[in-house]
Amino acid sequence: MQHQIVSRDEWLKARVALLEEEKALTRRSDELARRRQDLPWVRVDKAYRFETDEGDATLEDLFRGRSQLLVYHFMFGPDYKAGCPSCSAIADGFDGFVVHLENHDVAFTAVSRAPLGKLQAFKRRMEWSFPWASSHGSDFNLDFNVSNTEKQQRDGAVEYNYRREPAWPAGETPDGPATAAAMSGTDAATFVRERPGMSAFVLEDGVVYHTYSAYARGLDGLWGMYQWLDRAPKGRNEKGMWWRHHDEYDNG
């Protein structure tokens, strides 16, 4: 793209015009946030069990004494050898904000289906400290539509991002499942039986309620890397999957 070269005054005029649109988007974003908070709640009656660094836990235990809980559904299936590289890029930002959430009555945890030992080993490799629980053997991921079975995949019965998906294989997508699967140490079909997402819960009078979930591009705002790239001169400027686990870049 050929960019126009202008004077500072001309640039300022264009920038101020764009600022008005940015302000309108911010106001619209504030309105959507209020509408998220106004969504009705769904009581969680199933007794989910998790493995954590502190031992076995219920969903209520994950609140760790707070009234709100945010969960990142991290793609790390039982057969993966490493976490999904995209989820890992998002998770690189978790450590910095968890302490602030915890001091604002909000607990945070990532949840994956891989056994706890695998999560702990990968967490050490990535040098992360945020809470990460295993839902291995639980229906938690299936119930919140971030995992599916081989049969669902084969029969076209996968529900993700509030839509029914066609049967696998549906062809290569812009997200590059084959590339990401190889980086996670598994095949593409196994890789996409896990999906990214986030869910919010509230604990009131001893009862846990599900309040919100988002998936796919609904997670863009949580991906700090892209928020910066969207403000860089060339934007996202990508063709295919260019990012890696942060310890796999060639920085030489």
Side-chain angles (χ1 to χ4, degrees):
M1 180 178 178
Q2 187 67 35
H3 275 82
Q4 198 177 10
I5 307 301
V6 299
S7 68
R8 173 62 61 176
D9 286 344
E10 290 172 304
W11 175 87
L12 184 60
K13 182 178 179 180
R15 177 65 188 94
V16 169
L18 178 62
L19 179 62
E20 291 306 309
E21 295 185 44
E22 289 179 328
K23 287 181 176 180
L25 180 61
T26 298
R27 289 191 290 270
R28 175 61 175 152
S29 181
D30 289 343
E31 178 188 344
L32 283 172
R34 286 190 291 271
R35 292 183 64 185
R36 288 189 197 105
Q37 292 149 23
D38 288 341
L39 281 172
W41 297 353
V42 178
R43 181 175 178 139
V44 179
D45 289 319
K46 188 175 286 190
Y48 298 110
R49 302 296 302 185
F50 304 88
E51 297 176 87
T52 73
D53 291 342
E54 293 77 33
D56 289 346
T58 64
L59 184 58
E60 183 175 350
D61 291 333
L62 299 184
F63 283 77
R64 300 190 301 280
R66 295 166 178 86
S67 72
Q68 302 159 87
L69 170 66
L70 297 176
V71 169
Y72 181 74
H73 301 288
F74 194 120
M75 290 174 63
F76 199 144
D79 298 318
Y80 287 27
K81 293 182 173 60
C84 162
S86 298
C87 287
S88 298
I90 294 173
D92 280 334
F94 290 170
D95 281 345
F97 66 68
V98 168
V99 64
H100 299 288
L101 294 176
E102 290 179 338
N103 283 278
H104 198 60
D105 193 32
V106 180
F108 172 88
T109 188
V111 173
S112 303
R113 280 203 312 130
L116 183 62
K118 277 193 174 183
L119 304 183
Q120 290 171 328
F122 188 66
K123 185 175 172 179
R124 288 192 296 271
R125 171 186 158 186
M126 294 289 100
E127 299 182 323
W128 293 330
S129 63
F130 59 82
W132 198 352
S134 169
S135 59
H136 188 63
S138 163
D139 291 336
F140 183 75
N141 287 53
L142 291 168
D143 289 349
F144 288 93
N145 299 110
V146 288
S147 293
N148 54 82
T149 66
E150 188 174 356
K151 185 177 187 305
Q152 287 175 313
Q153 192 179 55
R154 185 175 59 248
D155 295 346
V158 172
E159 296 278 350
Y160 180 65
N161 200 20
Y162 307 104
R163 295 178 180 87
R164 176 69 64 94
E165 294 187 349
W168 177 267
E172 185 78 356
T173 74
D175 297 324
T179 300
M183 294 170 67
S184 302
T186 190
D187 61 273
T190 301
F191 178 77
V192 299
R193 285 199 285 273
E194 309 296 327
R195 301 298 177 87
M198 66 78 54
S199 293
F201 302 88
V202 66
L203 178 62
E204 190 166 278
D205 297 326
V207 178
V208 176
Y209 300 91
H210 174 225
T211 66
Y212 179 78
S213 286
Y215 310 95
R217 289 296 301 275
L219 304 173
D220 257 20
L222 307 181
W223 200 333
M225 173 181 78
Y226 273 139
Q227 304 312 306
W228 282 99
L229 286 177
D230 286 345
R231 291 155 176 81
K234 296 182 180 180
R236 301 193 179 192
N237 189 34
E238 55 190 1
K239 294 179 180 178
M241 187 172 171
W242 56 269
W243 58 93
R244 300 289 182 266
H245 293 118
H246 66 237
D247 63 348
E248 292 179 345
Y249 288 114
D250 180 5
N251 293 319

